[in-house]
Amino acid sequence: MSFLSKSTVLLLFVLCCTSFTSTEAYDPLVPNGNITIKWDVVNWTPVGYVAVVTIYNYQQYRHIEAPGWLLGWTWANNEVIWSIFGGQTTEQGNCSRFKGNIPRCCKKSPTVVDLSPRTPHNQKIANCCKGGLISSMVQDPANAASSFQLSVGSAGNTNKTVRIPKNITLNTPGPGYTCGPAKIVRPSKFLSADKRRITQALMTWNITCTFSHFLTHKAPTCCVSLSSFNNKAIAPCPASSCGRRKNNTVSRGCVDPKSPHVPGHKNNITPLVQCTSHMCPIKIQWHLKLNYKDYWRVTIRITNLNYHMNYTQWNLIVQHPNFDNLTQVFGSKYEALTSLSTTNDTAMLWGIKHYNDVLMQAGRYGKVHLELLFRKDKATFTSKKGWAFPQRIYFNGDSCVLPPPDAYPLVA
Ligand SMILES: *[C@@H]1O[C@H](CO)[C@@H](O)[C@H](O)[C@H]1NC(C)=O
Ligand SMILES: *[C@@H]1O[C@H](CO)[C@@H](O)[C@H](O)[C@H]1NC(C)=O
Ligand SMILES: *[C@@H]1O[C@H](CO)[C@@H](O)[C@H](O)[C@H]1NC(C)=O
Ligand SMILES: *[C@@H]1O[C@H](CO)[C@@H](O)[C@H](O)[C@H]1NC(C)=O
Ligand SMILES: *[C@@H]1O[C@H](CO)[C@@H](O)[C@H](O)[C@H]1NC(C)=O
Ligand SMILES: *[C@@H]1O[C@H](CO)[C@@H](O)[C@H](O)[C@H]1NC(C)=O
Ligand SMILES: *[C@@H]1O[C@H](CO)[C@@H](O)[C@H](O)[C@H]1NC(C)=O
Ligand SMILES: *[C@@H]1O[C@H](CO)[C@@H](O)[C@H](O)[C@H]1NC(C)=O
Ligand SMILES: *[C@@H]1O[C@H](CO)[C@@H](O)[C@H](O)[C@H]1NC(C)=O
């Protein structure tokens, strides 16, 4: 078992001498992804304007999941929000300067959240009320945007006097996105439902937000274990991939799965994980299942070890040289991400709606299982150590920690 000690040494080296890849300033697999927030002024009013605000997710595979987005900004003057549809301000603030009619929100820096899908129909607008969820571009482009409508008062009501909000913030609800300043752009055009009339906004401004792991300040959230049909040896998730194990109590940050008290909580950005040597909320097992003459088969098992989260619309990005010859996928949706590499070795996999698109919280149901069938390309297929294993795996856009190469199981 000399490879074990060698791998331990290598692991210690990796842990102590390199920073986690999640601290990279931008995501190498999606250098140009962004979220664009567009404000369309659709009406001037005697006291200000009515605007439709839409958040567009142009990222290929990073989505916003429960508990959803929070959009904030700082008014340039003393603007207030008289009414809001398809969203809600989290705090009213100090409206004591108003008598009679009181605005919805008087805060200098308001925060807006989405409404739930169960909102009554007469309080909805198009593209609203998704509980703060926004899909990624690849997974569900029809749901990659979210809108709400505001009526703003104590504000300029011409395109010369209106003041554009500053310091836009987008939280999910944790940090990660940085938004630039609003820029006035060409007014949006809208096609009527019968497609026979085009109207346009009175004024439009755009804000671009980009994601950076650097801002999330967090350890990896996912690790990979590798195994093969003909070799009992498993390369386990490297120890302490996502944190160091402490005492087995809830207050110390992990839960013993055998403990009678298994916590139940609503989706919460602070993970509460099962106690393991790696302490990752997500474990992915890549198992070489069969090696036929012309094909080979891999099973991927994703295990949720986080009691605080049902991962809705989960996705995986996998890089492996054989993806250009992927023949069949069982148990998930699939799309080759051809724009990410010249060799077509990267693919996105995600759950099938109403079947396994929600990776349930840790416990009996917290697993998803899928299979890939590859055609062997004689020119490239090799049973040499390591080739049959993935080069990189991302879960929901976060890079997963792989075992060190010298710990890989042999594929005879
Ligand atoms: C945001 O992404 C869209 C779609 O990929 C792209 O067209 C646009 O130029 C990007 N915006 C910025 C400021 O990078
Ligand atoms: C609310 O605003 C008024 C002036 O608009 C001010 O006099 C009052 O002190 C404020 N109240 C609080 C609690 O900040
Ligand atoms: C403001 O509106 C006027 C007239 O409608 C138009 O000519 C002008 O270009 C607009 N300015 C901006 C910044 O949109
Ligand atoms: C906007 O943010 C910057 C930097 O965080 C800060 O210096 C500035 O005061 C903020 N502006 C407003 C109007 O809050
Ligand atoms: C502003 O954002 C909208 C929506 O993302 C986009 O269609 C439009 O091209 C953007 N305008 C500019 C100038 O970037
Ligand atoms: C774990 O618990 C034991 C006894 O309860 C205590 O002595 C020890 O210091 C604890 N270790 C850590 C890392 O908290
Ligand atoms: C996950 O979903 C199940 C079933 O809908 C629910 O009972 C549970 O409370 C949810 N867990 C979290 C962490 O939201
Ligand atoms: C990658 O896929 C694209 C689209 O399917 C195809 O046009 C291209 O030739 C492929 N490139 C390689 C190196 O296989
Ligand atoms: C595998 O894919 C490559 C690139 O698309 C192609 O040139 C090759 O013929 C394929 N091999 C097999 C066995 O289908």
Side-chain angles (χ1 to χ4, degrees):
M1 290 279 111
S2 75
F3 76 84
L4 271 183
S5 54
K6 234 196 286 170
S7 70
T8 312
V9 170
L10 191 89
L11 175 65
L12 287 175
F13 173 81
V14 167
L15 287 177
C16 77
C17 306
T18 63
S19 55
F20 292 116
T21 50
S22 66
T23 56
E24 279 166 22
Y26 71 94
D27 200 317
L29 281 184
V30 181
N32 299 314
N34 69 59
I35 288 186
T36 298
I37 302 162
K38 185 174 70 134
W39 288 58
D40 287 312
V41 175
V42 293
N43 243 325
W44 301 116
T45 66
V47 296
Y49 59 91
V50 175
V52 174
V53 180
T54 307
I55 306 172
Y56 294 90
N57 184 8
Y58 288 122
Q59 301 174 106
Q60 291 197 72
Y61 61 78
R62 186 175 293 282
H63 64 291
I64 297 180
E65 64 191 326
W69 54 263
L70 292 150
L71 184 67
W73 63 86
T74 302
W75 292 117
N77 285 330
N78 293 311
E79 287 90 340
V80 294
I81 298 170
W82 276 107
S83 63
I84 178 164
F85 287 97
Q88 184 59 280
T89 51
T90 56
E91 274 184 79
Q92 183 175 30
N94 181 358
C95 290
S96 67
R97 69 187 157 109
F98 292 87
K99 304 276 178 295
N101 267 348
I102 309 291
R104 252 351 258 177
C105 175
C106 302
K107 283 191 71 92
K108 179 81 177 169
S109 298
T111 300
V112 171
V113 295
D114 201 3
L115 296 178
S116 96
R118 291 184 300 275
T119 302
H121 214 68
N122 61 0
Q123 288 163 36
K124 285 189 176 178
I125 66 158
N127 255 332
C128 86
C129 312
K130 300 170 181 179
L133 312 186
I134 306 185
S135 301
S136 65
M137 219 51 190
V138 170
Q139 220 162 325
D140 189 359
N143 283 304
S146 190
S147 299
F148 59 90
Q149 179 181 310
L150 292 172
S151 175
V152 182
S154 307
N157 58 0
T158 68
N159 71 6
K160 303 248 159 36
T161 54
V162 70
R163 300 286 307 277
I164 294 177
K166 299 185 190 325
N167 282 11
I168 317 282
T169 55
L170 178 66
N171 291 308
T172 60
Y177 289 93
T178 317
C179 301
K183 290 206 181 81
I184 295 172
V185 299
R186 216 154 21 87
S188 304
K189 297 202 166 152
F190 310 104
L191 191 60
S192 69
D194 64 4
K195 297 193 165 61
R196 295 172 71 170
R197 183 174 144 80
I198 293 172
T199 54
Q200 75 179 61
L202 301 167
M203 190 175 178
T204 299
W205 56 82
N206 277 6
I207 297 116
T208 304
C209 306
T210 51
F211 183 85
S212 158
H213 279 296
F214 189 69
L215 293 172
T216 63
H217 295 299
K218 65 175 188 194
T221 53
C222 155
C223 65
V224 181
S225 74
L226 306 170
S227 57
S228 142
F229 56 90
N230 60 352
N231 188 324
K232 295 234 166 55
I234 287 186
C237 268
S240 305
S241 291
C242 304
R244 231 172 276 282
R245 181 173 173 168
K246 295 181 193 132
N247 279 354
N248 285 357
T249 65
V250 172
S251 62
R252 296 259 158 68
C254 75
V255 174
D256 187 335
K258 290 190 212 78
S259 92
H261 168 74
V262 170
H265 278 281
K266 284 273 168 275
N267 282 359
N268 184 323
I269 54 167
T270 317
L272 179 60
V273 299
Q274 225 171 66
C275 297
T276 56
S277 62
H278 52 79
M279 293 289 282
C280 293
I282 296 292
K283 179 180 132 178
I284 293 166
Q285 184 181 8
W286 176 283
H287 177 72
L288 298 183
K289 194 180 178 193
L290 284 168
N291 191 359
Y292 307 105
K293 184 162 160 283
D294 295 318
Y295 295 92
W296 59 292
R297 190 184 277 262
V298 169
T299 64
I300 298 176
R301 181 190 290 271
I302 310 172
T303 309
N304 186 359
L305 299 167
N306 182 358
Y307 291 101
H308 271 176
M309 194 67 141
N310 290 329
Y311 293 91
T312 45
Q313 300 187 353
W314 61 267
N315 69 57
L316 290 184
I317 306 293
V318 184
Q319 191 173 26
H320 187 282
N322 216 162
F323 267 116
D324 58 353
N325 296 108
L326 183 66
T327 307
Q328 215 172 344
V329 177
F330 306 89
S332 91
K333 306 273 273 181
Y334 157 82
E335 189 164 311
L337 297 180
T338 49
S339 64
L340 294 187
S341 77
T342 50
T343 50
N344 294 351
D345 62 353
T346 307
M348 177 160 167
L349 301 159
W350 68 95
I352 297 164
K353 210 165 192 155
H354 307 308
Y355 170 57
N356 61 2
D357 61 331
V358 181
L359 174 58
M360 297 294 275
Q361 66 183 62
R364 189 139 61 108
Y365 304 107
K367 291 186 182 74
V368 165
H369 183 251
L370 48 123
E371 287 196 17
L372 309 175
L373 184 65
F374 293 102
R375 193 210 305 259
K376 278 186 187 171
D377 188 348
K378 299 271 173 348
T380 55
F381 183 87
T382 161
S383 58
K384 262 215 302 257
K385 215 174 169 184
W387 188 88
F389 297 112
Q391 294 170 343
R392 286 198 284 186
I393 295 193
Y394 288 61
F395 176 81
N396 280 356
D398 289 334
S399 175
C400 300
V401 180
L402 284 152
D406 70 342
Y408 285 11
L410 289 166
V411 185

